[in-house]
Amino acid sequence: MNLSGLSLRDLEYVVAIADHGSFVRAAEHCRVAQPSLSAQVRKLEALLGMVIFERTTRRVIVTVEGKSFVEQARRVLAEARLLFTIVQRSDKPFGGALRLAAISTLGPYLFPRILPALRKKYSELALVLSEGLTGELVPKLIDGEVDAVLLSLPQTDAALASAGIFSEPFLLACPKGHPASRKGGPTWDALDAEERLLLEEGHCLREQALAGCSAPGRTNRLATSLETLKYMVAAGEGCTLVPALAVSERDAVAYSRLPGNTFSRRVGLAWRKSDPRAMEFSALSETLRQIAKSFDDVKEA
């Protein structure tokens, strides 16, 4: 097969269709006319001798053969983006721009604390910040859509490198007057299963909270965010675990410290091993480690 008939733009079209499940939305994402995108994908399928997408009146389905092609296309595009990273390098840190993401139970509370010091340290660096679930951010990092992610360690993907920054304890949050809010009261693992409020599936904090339960039980008392959990606790719905950085004096709940190191998470920075800026990411993690030393509510990693 002659590779001259295959372009990176073709691969971008294929990945966009797979991601959006629609030729129309993919065309909007790629900023191209939908008929042109459809024609180019059909031409690509003819070149390859395979059907990538099953087209129905309601939706677009990736075929079994197409799934393998789409995943390989993602990897090719990620490597191609590295070419631009290499040629666009400048004397500025990270080439002048850094796309930094954080898991959603960390970003809103950590970013405000680290940004002033980061701006001082990297005065010429343009920071693009984002948040999401671990299961969303890690694939984006691998595909080159973000440059680094602040997340809970350990991370196990072989394509990524990581460095610890700090250890963050969890506090038990209960309605004011609840027995668990008093000295000698029940701790998280001693609460009735129906009293434990959790985040929805997909949040690593949910799994960490369940790991601290001797009998987690079955419950549908879930929330989409930490702030929603706090509101539920304040309304008397039950108790939950809140990372130390997310605790605020304005919260209408009672917080209590938990014994030992079981109820905590280790926060770190992850980046692609293949990224030519690996030494800069290592230096950034050390900078973040030094910044975190000024936090009263965390410990060294």
Side-chain angles (χ1 to χ4, degrees), residues 15-37:
V15 170
I17 295 167
D19 287 344
H20 293 276
S22 162
F23 279 74
V24 174
R25 290 195 294 273
E28 292 173 352
H29 175 78
C30 296
R31 299 181 180 179
V32 65
Q34 186 266 324
S36 298
L37 180 142

Side-chain angles (χ1 to χ4, degrees), residues 3-300:
L3 290 177
S4 63
L6 182 66
S7 72
L8 291 177
R9 191 60 170 161
D10 292 339
L11 301 185
E12 287 181 335
Y13 289 165
V14 167
V15 170
I17 295 167
D19 287 344
H20 293 276
S22 162
F23 279 74
V24 174
R25 290 195 294 273
E28 292 173 352
H29 175 78
C30 296
R31 299 181 180 179
V32 65
Q34 186 266 324
S36 298
L37 180 142
S38 297
Q40 194 61 33
V41 171
R42 287 189 182 280
K43 188 183 298 184
L44 175 63
E45 289 177 320
L47 172 68
L48 298 172
M50 65 180 289
V51 177
I52 303 173
F53 299 108
E54 179 184 340
R55 298 141 172 97
T56 72
T57 56
R58 292 187 176 183
R59 58 175 180 159
V60 175
I61 302 171
V62 183
T63 64
V64 174
E65 284 183 304
K67 287 180 180 178
S68 298
F69 184 84
V70 169
E71 291 311 308
Q72 185 60 37
R74 291 187 194 279
R75 288 190 282 270
V76 171
L77 290 173
E79 292 298 320
R81 291 188 187 101
L82 283 179
L83 293 175
F84 288 98
T85 301
I86 293 170
V87 300
Q88 292 176 353
R89 295 293 300 276
S90 71
D91 292 335
K92 296 179 181 179
F94 301 102
L98 177 65
R99 297 168 298 174
L100 179 63
I103 55 175
S104 56
T105 56
L106 177 67
Y109 315 104
L110 181 62
F111 282 148
R113 295 198 182 201
I114 64 175
L115 281 180
L118 285 182
R119 288 196 182 103
K120 185 176 181 180
K121 172 75 174 179
Y122 300 100
S123 58
E124 297 184 321
L125 180 65
L127 273 171
V128 180
L129 306 179
S130 60
E131 299 167 10
L133 301 179
T134 304
E136 301 167 347
L137 295 181
V138 168
K140 285 185 176 181
L141 177 57
I142 293 172
D143 292 341
E145 294 181 41
V146 296
D147 299 316
V149 176
L150 290 158
L151 40 60
S152 292
L153 297 178
Q155 71 78 25
T156 57
D157 197 291
L160 303 181
S162 62
I165 298 174
F166 59 82
S167 180
E168 182 182 21
F170 298 152
L171 277 70
L172 180 62
C174 294
K176 293 181 178 179
H178 189 282
S181 67
R182 295 192 286 268
K183 186 175 181 179
T187 59
W188 174 251
D189 57 345
L191 292 171
D192 290 338
E194 292 303 311
E195 281 197 284
R196 300 191 190 105
L197 304 178
L198 301 169
L199 288 171
E200 289 183 335
E201 290 188 10
H203 291 272
C204 56
L205 182 58
R206 168 191 170 89
E207 303 309 316
Q208 291 159 341
L210 288 175
C213 301
S214 54
R218 301 177 65 181
T219 177
N220 59 357
R221 309 182 72 198
L222 308 174
T224 57
S225 71
L226 273 177
E227 295 306 308
T228 302
L229 275 181
K230 292 180 188 179
Y231 295 142
M232 292 172 69
V233 172
E237 293 294 316
C239 302
T240 193
L241 295 180
V242 176
L245 292 180
V247 172
S248 170
E249 294 180 355
R250 298 188 299 272
D251 298 336
V253 304
Y255 288 108
S256 57
R257 294 278 176 179
L258 293 163
N261 297 318
T262 302
F263 303 99
S264 65
R265 65 180 175 185
R266 187 166 174 253
V267 173
L269 182 72
W271 62 91
R272 293 181 301 280
K273 289 180 180 177
S274 60
D275 197 312
R277 302 168 294 178
M279 290 184 65
E280 292 179 79
F281 286 115
S282 182
L284 173 61
S285 64
E286 178 58 32
T287 296
L288 292 172
R289 197 175 297 118
Q290 295 303 317
I291 295 172
K293 285 184 177 180
S294 65
F295 300 166
D296 295 331
D297 33 15
V298 303
K299 301 176 182 178
E300 291 189 26

